[in-house]
Amino acid sequence: MGTKQKVSSIKEKLHKLERHLKEIQNSCTHKTKSIKFINLNEGTRWVCDDCQTQLGFPDKKEIQTWVYK
């Protein structure tokens, strides 16, 4: 198998995995969530503990409580 075929195969597998992940995240009920630091550009977000979907932005008070745990 040549390099081009390997790359194509990997990209196809990634695409299928990303679709599968979206299906799982869309069917999740997001029963528990935590504040997580995403990166410097995005900052902190509420993230589902089960499926890791970003659910929203914590307010300042929630961030302060999270920082000083």
Side-chain angles (χ1 to χ4, degrees):
M1 184 182 277
T3 301
K4 189 174 184 178
Q5 291 169 327
K6 287 179 186 177
V7 169
S8 179
S9 174
I10 290 170
K11 283 187 171 190
E12 183 179 329
K13 288 175 186 176
L14 281 171
H15 182 67
K16 287 179 182 179
L17 287 171
E18 287 171 348
R19 278 195 325 232
H20 187 79
L21 176 61
K22 273 290 184 214
E23 289 172 8
I24 292 169
Q25 290 174 329
N26 288 337
S27 67
C28 182
T29 59
H30 313 304
K31 291 180 183 179
T32 59
K33 63 182 181 178
S34 301
I35 296 175
K36 306 254 172 141
F37 179 76
I38 306 302
N39 61 42
L40 289 174
N41 292 326
E42 295 185 46
T44 55
R45 299 287 191 273
W46 280 110
V47 176
C48 176
D49 292 335
D50 293 327
C51 73
Q52 300 299 306
T53 296
Q54 293 181 24
L55 301 172
F57 299 90
D59 62 29
K60 288 184 180 187
K61 185 177 178 182
E62 292 167 330
I63 292 173
Q64 290 297 321
T65 302
W66 174 72
V67 167
Y68 295 108
K69 273 187 177 180

